[in-house]
Amino acid sequence: MTSGSYDFAGYQVLVVGGARGEGHTIATSFAEAGASVTVTGTMMLRALYDTDLSPFEYESVNLARQDSIDHLAAMVDHLDVLVLAASCNLPYALPPDERTFIAQAARSGLLGPTFLTTRLRLKLSQSPAPGGGCVVNTGAVRSWLELSSTADEAQAQVIESTARAGEKWAGLGVRVNSVLQTTRPVLPRPYAPRAGTRMAGGDTLVRSQEARTGEAVAQAALFLAASARITGQTLRLS
């Protein structure tokens, strides 16, 4: 399926971490399906990104700061779909004690994606979308748990917390699902140039694994947002 297979006209979608990478692919897919999309990044100005953010509204947020999360939550008026695609990228020079504090706060739901989701829960519950408001976690959520866990432990925790939240929030009219991909490396595959394409000697057209993975995650996110009866589930992509 492609984004054209879905109709999200009238939906308000927030893609946290949608300024670049996988999040940007997800945001683009929702926009192409008719949604009004807001993306977030850590930079103050959208012009500082090398990706095209013109189709979206833009907000700056730092998920390691409660005041920044509170500010973003206050800026959101109406919300149908929340996609969490912002990885944890802490400064290298961060003191160890501060890093430990952030890790513990993120695990306790006092910082990071979980805290933002909690702050937006009421607005998601007011969504008139079929099945209610929807939260889609991506592998970026796992990176916050990896501050104090192994990758496998963090993956298991995302799956468990998704199932728990899906059951707990069902009474509020909010669905919670996740899409996670394996880390198995896949070599990029060559693509033949279209007719009329000029290539320099030795050039090869390739589609990177990152790009293909981002597209697969984007389509899974659209599927979960459109599936009114699915909640508490994790789609694992290989």
Side-chain angles (χ1 to χ4, degrees):
M1 288 186 176
T2 66
S3 55
S5 304
Y6 299 95
D7 182 8
F8 285 100
Y11 279 64
Q12 297 289 332
V13 177
L14 174 62
V15 182
V16 183
R20 56 167 53 128
E22 186 175 277
H24 186 267
T25 302
I26 295 171
T28 300
S29 296
F30 272 105
E32 290 176 347
S36 297
V37 181
T38 299
V39 300
T40 76
T42 56
M43 297 186 184
M44 290 302 298
L45 301 174
R46 71 166 71 206
L48 297 175
Y49 287 94
D50 56 5
T51 48
D52 180 14
L53 301 184
S54 60
F56 320 119
E57 295 295 322
Y58 177 78
E59 295 290 341
S60 175
V61 66
N62 182 346
L63 292 182
R65 293 178 51 189
Q66 278 193 356
D67 59 340
S68 182
I69 295 173
D70 288 339
H71 175 75
L72 174 64
M75 295 292 292
V76 175
D77 181 30
H78 170 77
L79 186 61
D80 299 300
V81 180
L82 170 64
V83 181
L84 298 168
S87 297
C88 180
N89 295 309
L90 301 181
Y92 290 111
L94 197 68
D97 57 342
E98 188 171 348
R99 183 183 179 88
T100 300
F101 168 77
I102 293 174
Q104 294 175 342
R107 176 171 294 280
S108 302
L110 301 176
L111 284 178
T114 301
F115 182 63
L116 175 62
T117 305
T118 301
R119 295 286 284 109
L120 293 173
R121 178 175 55 185
L122 177 60
K123 293 174 182 178
L124 284 164
S125 71
Q126 296 169 343
S127 169
C134 178
V135 178
V136 179
N137 300 309
T138 71
V141 175
R142 181 178 55 208
S143 71
W144 289 84
L145 298 173
E146 288 176 359
L147 288 174
S148 55
S149 301
T150 67
D152 288 343
E153 290 171 342
Q155 176 117 333
Q157 288 161 15
V158 172
I159 295 171
E160 179 184 355
S161 64
T162 298
R164 187 169 58 249
E167 180 179 0
K168 182 178 179 181
W169 289 21
L172 300 173
V174 179
R175 295 179 294 116
V176 182
N177 295 292
S178 296
V179 52
L180 301 175
Q181 68 274 12
T182 64
T183 56
R184 182 180 59 188
V186 179
L187 293 176
R189 57 187 177 189
Y191 276 68
R194 292 179 296 177
T197 301
R198 298 183 61 185
M199 301 177 64
D203 283 351
T204 303
L205 292 183
V206 297
R207 190 181 185 192
S208 69
Q209 167 66 5
E210 179 182 357
R212 284 188 285 135
T213 299
E215 291 168 6
V217 172
Q219 292 307 305
L222 266 66
F223 168 77
L224 291 171
S227 302
R229 295 180 180 272
I230 296 179
T231 190
Q233 303 300 309
T234 297
L235 294 182
R236 281 176 275 189
L237 307 179
S238 58

